[in-house]
Amino acid sequence: MMGNATSAATMRAFVVTGPARAGVVRVPVPVAGPGEVVVAVERAGVCGTDAEIFTGEMSYLHTGQAAYPMRIGHEWSGVVSAVGPGVDETWRGRRVTGDTMLGCGHCARCVGGRQHLCADRYEIGIRNGWPGALAEYLPVPVRALHPLPSTVDFVAGALVEPAANAVRAVRAAAVTGRLLVIGPGTIGLLCAMLATADGVDVHVLGVDEPSLAFARSLGLAATSAPPEGLFDAVIDASGAASVPARAVELVEPGRRVVFIGLSGEPSLIDSRQLVFRDVTAVGVLSGSGGLTGAIESFATIDPRPLVAATVGLADVADVLAGTGRYGPAPKVQVDPRR
């Protein structure tokens, strides 16, 4: 359980109080509880999940797993500024990032290595009230931390979490031949970059020409129509309800489709197509289990071109509302001290 924010000191944080209602407020600086640290946040990414919380569309808001007011932000990097009881003092001053999913640590799922599926889990900045990283300081259990090597700066460090999702998606695709990635957003592009670095023949499919042009600027083959032939694996990193069924049509029989994108409405698939074509369908919920691999992958790929701009906390509402213009790259990061 997170430590109570009982310090007299205050900090700036971005808080969503209701649909399309948000702003920067002063809140108490968190105090590290047992087994926790406090991280001075250097960079935090803004994600589609954050936008759904801002608009009120996020499913957790309707199932009781989240409630306003919310301090959002789950893609982050920073420096450990304080350690709680039972935490090794050597963590203080270390450059870190960390997992979003915080399991209870005791249930069968946690003990079995599936803590990201724990029924009682917190999700930083998303689920069950754990405060997020769009703030100057963030409390984090030490077990969720991942040290950043000197070769990974804070900009790349705040891309570790989405890259970890991509690592898990590419692993699940288990492809050595042709891969189709649908959706040239942050995770889709990271999937394509990771698979390309592994020698896979990657094609990116999208609908927005500026996004496709940006993908091509990264050296990726990107089009608005799928190339001829079927693919040895398809990764759906889009948010379109029609794409999952199309992904099943585009994969070679006996191969894999990986679903990591989420639409705002049900995405229907004819299960008979999975059976008749002997297709394996895999869902990826989070980057848990992929963070170490993501950090290691940054020795091979450079994710920083995916960041269109770095803004301050006061600009976050414009980013979430889509009113800011930051260029074709998909990611906006926040420096909480701006």
Side-chain angles (χ1 to χ4, degrees):
M1 182 66 179
M2 75 192 95
N4 293 322
T6 56
S7 168
T10 63
M11 66 175 184
R12 296 166 66 244
F14 184 81
V15 180
V16 182
T17 56
R21 299 197 307 272
V24 181
V25 300
R26 296 206 72 89
V27 299
V29 173
V31 175
E36 295 175 5
V37 305
V38 173
V39 173
V41 180
E42 291 287 341
R43 290 291 186 276
V46 179
C47 170
T49 301
D50 300 320
E52 290 181 353
I53 293 170
F54 178 74
T55 62
E57 296 171 332
M58 208 280 172
S59 64
Y60 287 175
L61 291 166
H62 306 284
T63 59
Q65 297 170 74
Y68 298 123
M70 294 181 67
R71 281 160 50 187
I72 60 176
H74 57 277
E75 305 172 1
W76 56 271
S77 64
V79 178
V80 176
S81 61
V83 300
V87 177
D88 193 324
E89 277 287 335
T90 60
W91 279 105
R92 193 187 302 270
R94 297 186 74 177
R95 302 166 62 258
V96 294
T97 187
D99 200 349
T100 298
M101 306 299 213
L102 311 177
C104 70
H106 308 294
C107 69
R109 292 175 186 171
C110 287
V111 173
R114 297 179 294 144
Q115 57 89 25
H116 65 294
L117 300 174
C118 173
D120 297 322
R121 71 185 180 274
Y122 294 94
E123 297 178 20
I124 290 177
I126 302 173
R127 190 177 193 263
N128 283 340
W130 195 285
L134 292 181
E136 293 179 287
Y137 295 93
L138 172 71
V140 188
V142 69
R143 68 180 185 276
L145 293 181
H146 286 254
L148 293 175
S150 60
T151 52
V152 177
D153 64 14
F154 289 121
V155 174
L159 286 163
V160 167
E161 195 275 342
N165 282 269
V167 164
R168 290 196 63 214
V170 172
R171 286 176 182 168
V175 61
T176 56
R178 296 176 82 220
L179 169 66
L180 180 65
V181 177
I182 307 178
T186 300
I187 291 177
L189 291 175
L190 286 165
C191 286
M193 294 167 70
L194 289 165
T196 298
D198 286 341
V200 175
D201 178 16
V202 179
H203 299 263
V204 177
L205 182 64
V207 295
D208 180 61
E209 181 52 37
S211 296
L212 292 171
F214 177 74
R216 289 191 287 268
S217 76
L218 299 174
L220 300 170
T223 62
S224 58
E228 290 188 9
L230 300 178
F231 293 84
D232 297 299
V234 179
I235 296 175
D236 172 18
S238 76
S242 62
V243 167
R246 183 65 174 137
V248 174
E249 294 173 354
L250 291 169
V251 74
E252 179 73 21
R255 301 301 172 84
R256 293 186 167 216
V257 177
V258 180
F259 300 108
I260 193 168
L262 289 173
S263 68
E265 56 188 285
S267 305
L268 302 180
I269 296 175
D270 185 347
S271 63
R272 293 172 297 182
Q273 293 303 311
L274 297 177
V275 174
F276 292 151
R277 304 180 78 244
D278 203 20
V279 169
T280 299
V282 183
V284 174
L285 172 64
S286 77
S288 297
L291 283 97
T292 297
I295 293 169
E296 292 173 349
S297 77
F298 289 174
T300 305
I301 68 167
D302 183 0
R304 294 173 296 181
L306 302 186
V307 179
T310 300
V311 303
L313 286 174
D315 301 309
V316 172
D318 287 340
V319 176
L320 295 173
T323 55
R325 297 187 180 277
Y326 303 104
K331 179 62 63 179
V332 174
Q333 288 189 344
V334 179
D335 178 349
R337 284 164 179 75
R338 284 194 183 180

